[in-house]
Amino acid sequence: MYQKTSELKTPYWLLEEELLEKNLKILANIKQKTGVKILLALKGYALWKSFDLVANYLDGCCASGLHEALLSHEEFKKELHTYSPAFKLEDIEQIAPISNHLVFNSSSQFQHFSKLAKKINPQISLGIRINPEYSESPVELYNPCGVYSRLGVTLNNFDRLLKSEIGKDIEGLHFHALCEQDSLALEKVLEAFEEKFSVFLPKLKWLNLGGGHHLTKKGYDLEKLITLLNNFQKKYPNLQLYLEPGEAVGWETGTLVSSVLDIVDNGMKIAILDTSAEAHMPDTIIMPYRADVRNSGKAHEKSFTYRLAGNTCLAGDVMGDYSFDKELKIGDKIIFEDQMHYTMVKATTFNGVPLPSIVIRRSNGELDVVKEFRYESFKERLS
């Protein structure tokens, strides 16, 4: 355990346990007022060294494949709902025994694996992901309901599946249509969903409303969400409702801390850091988005402007242009805000650049270095 961040070697992710619990209490309040169950989406937040705290508030995890399912089973130890765009036979053989819900992405996958899953685990509840063919996703790359989407079954295909002999084994539906959005977007998605699928709902046991709900972001209309969920539940009292936030769990709970390694001037000052946009913050390139940097402004807003860049050979390994009140020096710390969700689960060791260490500031103020990535971590991935 450490007492001061100055004692830590960069780069490192720093989770603030108190901020995580603040988010979890918001989610617990939603549960208490609606009866909805809330699952942790491991695709967005999988820091399992914090699961003891998270499991005190949430009902379980949703996994996107075998490895996440095993992690939930081993470390979270509550409900496990597993979905994947496509399963292999060996996946089903390991996932079915440990899952409470198993959700298939297509009619063919359901037909191929549902009987086997039931044979392995007679208590498992089988469902299928549907595509409501409506979304307000602000970025097309993250729109699961876009034209020609591979994710989920459309109404015509679902109707045929339900009328087949095997369709009687479907106990629930899952959809995912949001991306960092408010309850107003959910309201519109639910309207589109009900228009197409409400006739089937009285026969089912559960409905999973997916993720993308920005539940813990400042300004999110929680009261509207609670009213929306309660009204929907009154119409379909047979359904257990689920939400599965990932980003909302880790939202604004921690940082990525790096150091300036060098400063070059090729027409503008460029600070090369010991972290990487390409390897450690890929969404800044893929989505893209501009990460907030502590005590910085936009280019030329403050006295000294720098391009922050990563320590890989990729020419585009750039976080963006930022300005500061003082000149940067080699060894200065650069702190990227809100880096607990998605960045950690997407990070790579491109160019052999070490992954940042993982540090948790416990509620008592102590700094717990829960993982350090050394050469062996890089080598073992390629062996």
Side-chain angles (χ1 to χ4, degrees):
M1 292 279 190
Y2 295 85
Q3 297 297 325
K4 299 178 181 179
T5 54
S6 59
E7 299 171 338
L8 301 173
K9 293 181 180 180
T10 61
Y12 58 87
W13 285 294
L14 176 60
L15 172 70
E16 303 281 355
E17 200 170 57
E18 285 188 358
L19 297 179
L20 176 62
E21 189 162 26
K22 179 181 176 182
N23 284 350
L24 294 170
K25 287 178 178 178
I26 292 173
L27 301 180
N29 182 58
I30 296 170
K31 288 176 50 181
Q32 191 272 327
K33 291 184 176 179
T34 64
V36 68
K37 289 189 175 185
I38 299 183
L39 309 172
L40 167 63
L42 294 175
K43 64 185 177 183
Y45 181 90
L47 206 177
W48 61 270
K49 287 288 189 175
S50 66
F51 281 3
D52 285 349
L53 174 61
V54 180
N56 287 335
Y57 292 92
L58 303 189
D59 298 285
C61 296
C62 58
S64 299
L66 175 59
H67 288 175
E68 287 186 355
L70 290 171
L71 181 65
S72 173
H73 177 67
E74 293 174 1
E75 303 297 339
F76 208 93
K77 297 181 172 61
K78 295 181 80 172
E79 282 193 45
L80 170 58
H81 299 201
T82 308
Y83 157 84
S84 176
F87 292 106
K88 298 179 180 179
L89 173 61
E90 55 264 38
D91 295 339
I92 298 296
E93 291 173 339
Q94 295 182 74
I95 287 170
I98 61 176
S99 295
N100 300 93
H101 289 188
L102 183 57
V103 180
F104 295 98
N105 183 64
S106 69
S107 299
S108 59
Q109 281 261 303
F110 193 94
Q111 291 167 343
H112 195 59
F113 289 125
S114 59
K115 286 190 178 297
L116 173 62
K118 272 291 189 183
K119 181 178 180 181
I120 294 172
N121 179 3
Q123 303 305 314
I124 200 167
S125 184
L126 302 179
I128 195 157
R129 176 169 176 167
I130 57 89
N131 180 352
E133 300 179 78
Y134 178 89
S135 173
E136 294 190 358
S137 177
V139 179
E140 191 58 28
L141 178 66
Y142 294 93
N143 183 2
C145 303
V147 178
Y148 308 127
S149 173
R150 74 189 194 285
L151 303 173
V153 177
T154 57
L155 176 60
N156 289 338
N157 290 330
F158 177 74
D159 192 33
R160 287 194 292 270
L161 174 63
L162 203 63
K163 290 176 180 176
S164 68
E165 180 185 350
I166 207 167
K168 66 181 185 302
D169 291 327
I170 297 175
E171 293 186 341
L173 299 182
H174 172 283
F175 67 77
H176 182 102
L178 302 181
C179 177
E180 297 184 347
Q181 289 174 285
D182 204 331
S183 47
L184 178 61
L186 175 61
E187 181 179 44
K188 293 179 179 179
V189 170
L190 272 177
E191 288 173 359
F193 166 74
E194 278 195 272
E195 184 179 339
K196 292 182 175 69
F197 293 93
S198 61
V199 66
F200 307 110
L201 297 184
K203 303 175 183 178
L204 302 176
K205 295 182 179 180
W206 52 266
L207 174 65
N208 188 322
L209 308 180
H213 314 273
H214 230 346
L215 304 169
T216 54
K217 184 179 181 181
K218 185 177 180 180
Y220 184 95
D221 192 342
L222 288 170
E223 291 307 312
K224 183 177 182 63
L225 173 73
I226 290 167
T227 299
L228 187 65
L229 294 174
N230 283 334
N231 288 343
F232 192 90
Q233 190 74 79
K234 288 177 184 177
K235 285 194 281 186
Y236 309 101
N238 56 300
L239 294 177
Q240 172 64 59
L241 299 182
Y242 289 88
L243 299 175
E244 49 179 47
E247 182 172 12
V249 174
W251 179 253
E252 294 186 340
T253 59
T255 58
L256 173 59
V257 183
S258 63
S259 295
V260 177
L261 299 181
D262 195 14
I263 298 174
V264 299
D265 191 338
N266 289 330
M268 74 173 298
K269 291 186 182 297
I270 304 167
I272 299 177
L273 311 180
D274 60 359
T275 188
S276 163
E278 165 70 12
H280 304 153
M281 295 180 281
D283 276 352
T284 61
I285 295 176
I286 298 169
M287 192 165 187
Y289 84 101
R290 175 186 169 88
D292 289 332
V293 173
R294 187 169 297 177
N295 298 325
S296 76
K298 296 178 181 178
H300 309 295
E301 185 178 4
K302 294 175 179 265
S303 300
F304 301 95
T305 293
Y306 296 82
R307 177 160 293 172
L308 301 184
N311 194 25
T312 73
C313 68
L314 179 71
D317 191 356
V318 172
M319 294 80 168
D321 296 347
Y322 297 81
S323 64
F324 300 86
D325 291 320
K326 298 179 180 180
E327 288 188 88
L328 294 182
K329 297 184 176 71
I330 293 173
D332 283 351
K333 299 292 190 297
I334 300 294
I335 301 175
F336 293 91
E337 305 283 10
D338 195 22
Q339 296 297 309
M340 283 297 106
H341 52 85
Y342 280 109
T343 55
M344 193 178 297
V345 294
K346 288 186 173 185
T348 71
T349 55
F350 175 61
N351 267 195
V353 174
L355 289 167
S357 300
I358 301 174
V359 183
I360 299 177
R361 193 194 306 273
R362 301 297 182 182
S363 297
N364 63 6
E366 291 186 338
L367 296 166
D368 185 5
V369 181
V370 299
K371 180 67 176 180
E372 291 182 291
F373 296 92
R374 305 185 187 278
Y375 164 67
E376 290 74 19
S377 304
F378 169 68
K379 183 179 180 182
E380 287 170 4
R381 293 183 65 234
L382 304 172
S383 62

